[in-house]
Each structure stands twice: as C-alpha cells, then as structure tokens.
Amino acid sequence: MKVGKNNFRPPPKVESSVVRIEPRVPPPAINFKEWDGLLRIVFSRKNKTLGGSFRTKSVLKMMEQNYKAVCAMADPPVELSPEFDMKELVVQILTEHHFIDRRAKTMDIDDFLRLLDCFNKSNIHFQ
C-alpha cells in the first residue's frame, strides 16, 4: 500500500509504502545461532559470490575449528586425515549444490535454508 509524502510532517523527499511481514508458520526447524552465523558470513559482502565469501582465511579457520569440534564429539570420534583441507570440502559442497557462483543478494530464504542444510549434513556448523 502506497503512503503519500503529504501524510508526514515534515514531508519526506521520498515516497513510502506499508509492508506487512508475516512469520512462517510453523517456523523452520533450525538452530538460530547457526542461522545467524551463516547469514553473517554471506552478507558481510553481499555482492561477493558465496565461493569468495567462504574462501576467506578467517571464515575457513572458524569453520575448520567447528568441524574438528563436531568430529571429536561424535560417537565414535572421527579422525581427520593429515591431508584434510577445509577449503576443498567447502568448495566441493558449494559446487555440488550449485551455490559457488551465487550472490547473497539474489538468494531467498529457501536458498539459505538449503545452504545451511548442505553444510550441516557435512558436519560443518556456524556457531
């Protein structure tokens, strides 16, 4: 619904609209700390491709620490090979699921839910 600038005092220099935001019912079954972590990474540079966002040293380091922690807590614990490369694993996941060249600004909520699920299935977490 459009709202004219004459409805405000002082009148703004732009046109306004009323937007209705409705929560999803039922809410998605996700860990919201992980959701927040994923979105912080992809929107830190919204014009950058996801492949570029996930290849930064700081992001790879954080993801590797989380991955090692999850593997160590598994029953039985998962031993990582000395040749393990987090960057390779992340690129493989992004490529397999066609996210490598996507940009955050062009994705919708379902894409982000799929991306989070792809990482979680590979024991990569964002908290």
Side-chain angles (χ1 to χ4, degrees):
M1 167 161 104
K2 297 279 183 192
V3 180
K5 53 180 140 184
N6 295 330
N7 293 325
F8 299 96
R9 296 286 175 244
K13 296 179 182 177
V14 296
E15 292 295 320
S16 301
S17 294
V18 175
V19 178
R20 183 176 184 170
I21 300 174
E22 294 181 10
R24 285 185 170 213
V25 178
I30 58 170
N31 178 329
F32 285 99
K33 285 186 179 181
E34 278 201 73
W35 177 253
D36 182 59
L38 173 70
L39 293 183
R40 285 177 187 269
I41 292 169
V42 299
F43 280 107
S44 64
R45 305 283 288 200
K46 67 182 179 199
N47 289 324
K48 204 172 195 182
T49 64
L50 295 184
S53 295
F54 283 105
R55 285 187 195 128
T56 62
K57 288 181 184 179
S58 59
V59 170
L60 286 170
K61 182 179 177 185
M62 179 272 301
M63 291 173 72
E64 186 169 357
Q65 288 172 345
N66 291 348
Y67 184 76
K68 287 179 178 178
V70 168
C71 289
M73 290 188 292
D75 188 28
V78 176
E79 293 292 326
L80 298 177
S81 70
E83 301 89 34
F84 173 75
D85 184 17
M86 178 55 75
K87 183 176 181 178
E88 223 175 88
L89 179 60
V90 169
V91 169
Q92 176 188 351
I93 293 166
L94 292 173
T95 304
E96 281 178 12
H97 300 283
H98 310 289
F99 286 112
I100 194 87
D101 293 323
R102 302 279 310 268
R103 296 178 193 280
K105 69 179 187 176
T106 65
M107 295 170 61
D108 64 16
I109 191 167
D110 293 323
D111 293 330
F112 292 116
L113 288 170
R114 261 189 35 240
L115 179 62
L116 182 61
D117 185 55
C118 294
F119 278 120
N120 287 173
K121 284 180 180 174
S122 299
N123 286 330
I124 297 176
H125 297 274
F126 297 94
Q127 43 180 352

